[in-house]
Structure formats: structure tokens, C-alpha cells
Amino acid sequence: MFSKSQVQLALKQAEKLLVDANLNPKTLAGTRPAAALSVLDPNSPG
């Protein structure tokens, strides 16, 4: 069973990933989707 705070954190991370990977104007223009990548690997360089 997941706690309410764990579910909220997972949903926020999923939203951050999807928005940055698919809607961020800079990402759409071809720049590196740093926010999306940080969700996948928090230790990756920004």
C-alpha cells in the first residue's frame, strides 16, 4: 500500500516528465529536456 504523500509525489513527477518532454517550448525547439530527464535520473547533470 502506498501512502497519500507517495502517490502525490509520483503524480507530480509524472506530470513534470510529461509536460517537459511534450509541451515545453524549448524542448519542442530541440533543446535537451533537462527537467524530464531529471525525473528519470535525479543524479544526471542538469
Side-chain angles (χ1 to χ4, degrees):
M1 181 68 67
F2 295 101
S3 71
K4 182 179 178 179
S5 63
Q6 288 174 311
V7 172
Q8 286 175 326
L9 177 60
L11 288 173
K12 281 188 173 284
Q13 289 175 326
E15 178 185 28
K16 182 178 179 182
L17 173 83
L18 292 171
V19 168
D20 192 59
N22 298 295
L23 299 174
N24 183 314
K26 290 180 181 178
T27 301
L28 294 175
T31 63
R32 187 171 187 269
L37 294 173
S38 74
V39 171
L40 298 174
D41 182 6
N43 297 321
S44 70

